Amino acid sequence: MTHDLLNVLVLVVSLGVIAQWIAWRLRLPAIVLFLIAGVIVGPVFGWVRPSVDLGDVYRPVVSLCVAVILFEGGLTLRLHEFKEAASGVKRLVSIGAIFAFGLGSLAAKGIGDLDWPVALVFGAIMVVTGPTVIIPLLRQARLNRRTASYLKWEGIINDPIGALAAVLIFQFFVYSGGGDPLDSVLISLGIGSVAAILIGGGAALLIGWAFRNAYVPEYLKAPVMLAGVLVVFAASNTVQHEAGLLAVTLMGMVLGNLELPNFEEMRRFKEYITILLVSSVFVLLTADLDPVTISHLDWHAIALVASMLIIVRPLAILLATVGADMKWNERLLLSWIAPRGIVAAAVAGLFGPEMLDAGYEDAELLLPLVFAMVLSTVTLHGFTISWLAKRLDLATPDDGVLIVGASPWTTELAQSLSKELNLSVLLVDSSWHRLREARLAGVNVIYGEILSDELQLSLQLNGVNVVLAATSNDAYNALVCRNFAGRLEHDRVFQLPMYAPDEGNRQKSKAVARPFTGIPAFADNAQYEELWRRHFQNWKFYKTKITEAYTYEDFLSDLPDESICIGVVREGTRLTFHAPHAPIKPKPGETVVYYAPKKPGAAESEARNRAEERKQSADEVLSADPADDALTS
């Protein structure tokens, strides 16, 4: 029975969003829930059959969604990052991609018993290890920065490369399947490629020129970019069938490397659209799986999936990384982890019916096989990556504290947290001079602009549990918090308070709007200047462990006047900053960190600590690079 079109679209979009939310709450791979939702409403109960319910609209809708998804993949491909990548990453995205394509195609032909055209398209699709699946897995596994970068950049770069290879192979066999001689096929491919380069690249340059010269207002930039993608896709397909996918991918690559001003808002809009399309497309494709076709998946399909997991991927990685600057445990992890995701399924869902119409009968198995790979890899890799990372000593605990803004107060805070509580603390500042004291005190520091692309990519964000923006600029602190709120949960992003309540409307008028800020930390009067003043009044950081005998109420009654609660250390290594509007009540076994006037009788101990610090500082100064000192002059 044909369902009402409106109800079908609403159901698909709603299921996709609900699946995203459940995946977030339960920390599961969202793509698994997309597949489950689609199978339930499609092949199991038959409530939705998109190709029937949507009729002639189904393929165009999927095509447009895939175009936007591939554009997003191209937009994330930054050429300077590829040039600066480690030799291991370059091996993975060059030789590794070739081995993956070749071995995957051979397996599809020899083990999966597919015809060569379908086997080659399958092999090209299997090159794709999409970042939409890998990045959530990396957050879950807490891999160290080096190993995580291999998987992340392999996914980002191979995402469009595998899709482009599939497009070119698909075009070749579709044209040749029409009975055209080889020279006509090559001419058609050439026309399609040139059209894609001219239309996609030209549109990107035109849009970039218009944005740079303010011919498009800020509020229209994201819609113009999205409309441009759809126009480029349709125009390229008009010139040559299926050249649009290549064109939009190239368009994204060019736009992503133009370094356009205020591009972050457009990226965010693109991410919102992509998330909605990804969830909807995957539910659509899964719901449209034909139970009869699924029943045709015999032992060849099972053997093919197994061989891709335990033979093709390990062999491709081990061969590609011979002689590379990679450790054996990194190569072993990469040999197993290669989840396929949305792009692989979307491209298969688009090309399978097209190749079937062109006369390739095995193409009806393309989408079920790719879905079997997606389900197998996401499930197996999703539930084993954390265990394997720990066994191979590649995991990083997510208990890190990131402090933005070096000052005497933050330096002492970072030193206290790292040395007294053994927490992993990283202090970041764009001034080498302000970082000098922290560096000499043995605090882990990074010199650079925290909001720059280079530093964001180099940070070991997988290990960061909480962020504190503590510079003297309230607006900058808010900007930092807004940036990290998209990476971490908002309740783990803090900044120093912007004003005290008793300072009146004059100060309130200077404050940044609350929706754009992080959570105000510590106390209402803990502004930058106030903390600086208390630092020079010789205030110190202290810790107290809460027990059954010594409760939190006992601690509060003994707390000196005007003391500032900094936070609570839970599970021995995880710090949660205190917020005056959402106070923390520690439980027995947890440690409270607070800032208070120096206690009487601590002078002798402090003198010993300072003497030791001076000795360590002197040792480091003697061994420091003279170029470092030159930067501070």
Side-chain angles (χ1 to χ4, degrees), residues 582-604:
I584 305 169
K585 186 174 182 179
K587 301 176 182 178
E590 299 176 344
T591 301
V592 181
V593 181
Y594 63 99
Y595 193 48
K598 187 176 68 172
K599 297 179 180 179
E604 183 179 348

Side-chain angles (χ1 to χ4, degrees), residues 11 25 111 156 174 225 359 417 434 536 593 609 615 625-626:
L11 177 62
R25 291 292 298 177
I111 300 176
I156 289 176
V174 167
M225 185 171 61
L417 294 177
R434 288 194 294 266
F536 286 105
V593 181
N609 293 337
K615 181 180 181 301
D625 190 337

Side-chain angles (χ1 to χ4, degrees), residues 127-372:
V127 172
V128 174
T129 56
T132 55
V133 183
I134 287 177
I135 291 177
L137 290 186
L138 295 181
R139 292 173 181 167
Q140 169 191 341
R142 305 166 189 170
L143 287 176
N144 62 50
R145 182 176 61 192
R146 175 185 168 100
T147 310
S149 67
Y150 290 139
L151 288 169
K152 183 179 72 171
W153 292 117
E154 180 194 18
I156 289 176
I157 296 174
N158 281 355
D159 198 44
I161 287 178
L164 289 178
V167 169
L168 294 176
I169 295 171
F170 165 78
Q171 289 178 330
F172 177 84
F173 283 109
V174 167
Y175 296 148
S176 62
D180 296 335
L182 181 61
D183 56 348
S184 299
V185 173
L186 295 178
I187 291 174
S188 298
L189 279 175
I191 293 174
S193 301
V194 171
I197 293 172
L198 293 178
I199 297 175
L205 293 175
L206 179 61
I207 291 175
W209 173 81
F211 286 1
R212 287 185 186 278
N213 292 277
Y215 287 111
V216 179
E218 288 294 328
Y219 75 94
L220 279 180
K221 284 185 176 180
V224 165
M225 185 171 61
L226 180 60
V229 173
L230 302 181
V231 170
V232 165
F233 177 71
S236 301
N237 279 345
T238 301
V239 175
Q240 189 63 264
H241 183 61
E242 296 303 342
L245 296 180
L246 177 60
V248 296
T249 305
L250 292 174
M251 179 183 175
M253 291 172 60
V254 174
L255 265 178
N257 288 276
L258 289 181
E259 302 296 337
L260 297 175
N262 301 322
F263 202 57
E264 189 59 35
E265 289 296 329
M266 289 179 281
R267 286 184 185 276
R268 188 172 293 110
F269 175 81
K270 172 266 301 178
E271 290 173 359
Y272 296 156
I273 295 296
T274 302
I275 288 174
L276 186 63
L277 294 182
V278 159
S279 55
S280 302
V281 167
F282 206 84
V283 173
L284 277 175
L285 293 174
T286 312
D288 203 54
L289 287 174
D290 188 353
V292 177
T293 303
I294 296 176
S295 65
H296 291 166
L297 295 178
D298 53 10
W299 69 268
H300 290 284
I302 299 175
L304 174 59
V305 172
S307 66
M308 294 295 296
L309 290 171
I310 63 179
I311 298 176
V312 172
R313 173 67 178 185
L315 190 58
I317 294 299
L318 294 176
L319 290 176
T321 56
V322 171
D325 183 21
M326 298 176 66
K327 299 177 182 178
W328 70 268
N329 53 351
E330 294 172 335
R331 296 175 67 194
L332 187 60
L333 182 89
L334 292 170
S335 298
W336 171 243
I337 302 299
R340 275 65 175 194
I342 297 297
V343 172
V347 172
L350 184 63
F351 291 166
E354 294 280 353
M355 294 191 73
L356 189 62
D357 292 345
Y360 299 102
E361 295 182 359
D362 282 353
E364 70 173 355
L365 300 176
L366 184 62
L367 183 59
L369 282 172
V370 171
F371 266 108

Side-chain angles (χ1 to χ4, degrees), residues 80-142:
H80 73 88
E81 294 164 3
F82 176 66
K83 294 176 182 177
E84 297 169 2
S87 60
V89 178
K90 296 179 181 179
R91 290 285 193 94
L92 292 175
V93 302
S94 55
I95 303 175
I98 295 174
F99 277 127
F101 167 66
L103 294 173
S105 301
L106 288 174
K109 173 61 179 176
I111 300 176
D113 196 28
L114 299 176
D115 293 337
W116 270 118
V118 180
L120 290 171
V121 172
F122 177 84
I125 293 175
M126 288 299 100
V127 172
V128 174
T129 56
T132 55
V133 183
I134 287 177
I135 291 177
L137 290 186
L138 295 181
R139 292 173 181 167
Q140 169 191 341
R142 305 166 189 170

Side-chain angles (χ1 to χ4, degrees), residues 398-420:
D398 66 336
D399 54 8
V401 180
L402 176 64
I403 302 175
V404 180
S407 67
W409 185 84
T410 56
T411 298
E412 186 177 355
L413 172 64
Q415 193 175 6
S416 299
L417 294 177
S418 59
K419 293 187 177 181
E420 298 297 329

